[in-house]
Amino acid sequence: MTSEYVTFGLMPAMRAGGVQADGAYQTHRDFLDFVVDGRPLLARLADLDAVSPLTADTGPAAFADQVRRLLLEAEPPLAGSRFIIYGCPECEGPECGALTAVIERDGPDVIWRDFGWQTGETPDAERDGYHDIGPYRFHGERYRAALKRLLTADGAPAPGIPTGPRALLIGPRAAVLAKLAAALRRIGVGAEITLDAVGAHADELRKYGVVVFGGTVRDDERDAVRRAFAAACSEAVCVTALAPIVPLLVAQVVQALDRTPQDRRLLGLTAVAGGAEALVEIASACRVRLVAHRLDRLSRPRTHALLDAVLPPGTHRVPLDPRAVRGRSFLVARTNDTVRITPVER
């Protein structure tokens, strides 16, 4: 058993939702990730598309139950003292598979060990084990303190625990905003449409993480809304719709919802002047998807998939198909947890 201590912490994270190039929807999930020795644990797991049990949309009772399990105050959900560390972001059920580990006490300490991918009653340690992950020994008192900060004295989730994301769409209830609201709700982001948010109560404004201005909203109207959100001490990010293309607008919202500190962001995207290529920068090996969005001459949205590959760390030059970036075009790059958008300048 390992005798070296590692630190334990928690940090906000997200699984980026969106509308994919083939029209399929990918659910957006906000959650708390585990930080081991200063590094998010999920980042060590070969680009695993998963979320921790500490998700914002599980409801207060279920969230508190998950915390108590990690505190070892409740029975493990799986045989062999195994706990779900990361699960499917779409269905949350074990049928799709989950990364599990044994969590146990060792005197005053807490040990996480025997990480493995599990789809049945027990994992096959030889075939599905993550042999380069763990075991981890945590100081029990510090481990429990980090988790107990998530709960109040009576066992309810503490104030400040992230809730499900919400977006406020400003503009007429026209086709584009209505379709955007429907798409956001489909991926798990709450969305409402209004013509004027200036008179709304401050508590209501603080519930939103992003504000999207439709293309017909005037500059003075945008300024008034920004002042109202500032007066409410809201941290919402305000963006203006780039183009009437729903998947692009969904990507705008998801990018705005990302609260990851700049020094922890894994993905960068730049379109080279002239539209010949894109520069994709990644900090660690991961799957990257690159899509181009544009309007054709009849103002119909067009989507072109340009890249879908696991890339090593570094800067990658991706040639752009001229047919994909004709006219006013935008590139959207995404990993499991990050979305980046850039216009194509021609």
Side-chain angles (χ1 to χ4, degrees):
M1 184 68 67
T2 179
S3 59
E4 295 184 5
Y5 285 101
V6 295
T7 60
F8 177 85
L10 298 160
M11 65 172 287
M14 78 173 191
R15 191 269 191 144
V19 183
Q20 301 183 29
D22 61 1
Y25 290 87
Q26 180 169 293
T27 303
H28 185 92
R29 305 294 299 280
D30 287 336
F31 63 100
L32 293 176
D33 197 8
F34 307 111
V35 181
V36 177
D37 256 3
R39 183 182 176 192
L41 182 58
L42 191 57
R44 308 179 191 218
L45 297 170
D47 195 40
L48 182 67
D49 184 14
V51 297
S52 83
L54 302 176
T55 55
D57 54 358
T58 57
F63 184 91
D65 287 344
Q66 294 293 351
V67 174
R68 283 190 284 270
R69 283 180 176 174
L70 294 169
L71 286 167
L72 301 179
E73 295 176 357
E75 291 298 313
L78 304 171
S81 297
R82 300 192 73 86
F83 293 76
I84 294 175
I85 306 300
Y86 296 109
C88 173
E90 295 291 340
C91 69
E92 302 181 70
E95 299 81 8
C96 295
L99 184 102
T100 69
V102 174
I103 301 181
E104 61 187 5
R105 294 184 181 87
D106 185 22
D109 301 331
V110 175
I111 306 290
W112 286 21
R113 62 174 176 85
D114 298 343
F115 288 80
W117 186 253
Q118 186 167 345
T119 55
E121 186 174 343
T122 57
D124 185 324
E126 198 61 38
R127 183 190 65 194
D128 299 323
Y130 282 75
H131 304 294
D132 57 341
I133 302 295
Y136 299 125
R137 176 183 290 271
F138 305 112
H139 286 280
E141 184 175 344
R142 299 174 192 172
Y143 173 89
R144 286 183 282 274
L147 288 167
K148 285 183 177 180
R149 280 195 288 270
L150 304 178
L151 303 177
T152 61
D154 59 0
I161 297 302
T163 57
R166 292 178 65 186
L168 184 62
L169 316 183
I170 307 291
R173 192 176 293 272
V176 173
L177 287 189
K179 290 179 181 178
L180 173 58
L184 290 172
R185 293 168 189 146
R186 182 79 178 267
I187 69 170
V189 176
E192 290 84 36
I193 304 174
T194 184
L195 284 171
D196 183 12
V198 173
H201 193 278
D203 289 342
E204 181 63 23
L205 296 182
R206 284 193 290 268
K207 294 178 181 179
Y208 294 101
V210 60
V211 178
V212 180
F213 296 112
T216 62
V217 180
R218 302 191 312 268
D219 288 344
D220 61 319
E221 294 173 326
R222 297 174 192 173
D223 291 341
V225 170
R226 291 190 182 99
R227 287 194 296 269
F229 273 84
C233 298
S234 166
E235 297 181 357
V237 176
C238 295
V239 299
T240 298
L242 290 172
I245 304 172
V246 172
L248 174 65
L249 298 178
V250 170
Q252 264 195 281
V253 171
V254 173
Q255 178 176 264
L257 287 170
D258 190 352
R259 299 297 190 264
T260 306
Q262 288 289 345
D263 60 348
R264 289 182 180 266
R265 296 187 177 183
L266 301 180
L267 177 66
L269 175 65
T270 306
V272 175
E277 60 183 5
L279 300 182
V280 178
E281 300 175 65
I282 52 176
S284 61
C286 60
R287 181 187 178 191
V288 179
R289 285 162 287 177
L290 182 65
V291 174
H293 296 283
R294 68 180 181 88
L295 294 174
D296 66 14
R297 293 181 179 178
L298 298 178
S299 297
R300 295 172 300 190
R302 300 297 185 188
T303 299
H304 301 265
L306 302 173
L307 174 72
D308 188 346
V310 176
L311 301 178
T315 300
H316 303 269
R317 309 182 82 93
V318 182
L320 299 179
D321 184 343
R323 295 170 297 179
V325 292
R326 283 183 288 182
R328 190 175 180 221
S329 305
F330 301 88
L331 299 179
V332 177
R334 64 171 60 239
T335 64
N336 288 336
D337 59 358
T338 309
V339 173
R340 291 292 173 266
I341 303 169
T342 190
V344 179
E345 304 293 344
R346 299 189 62 83

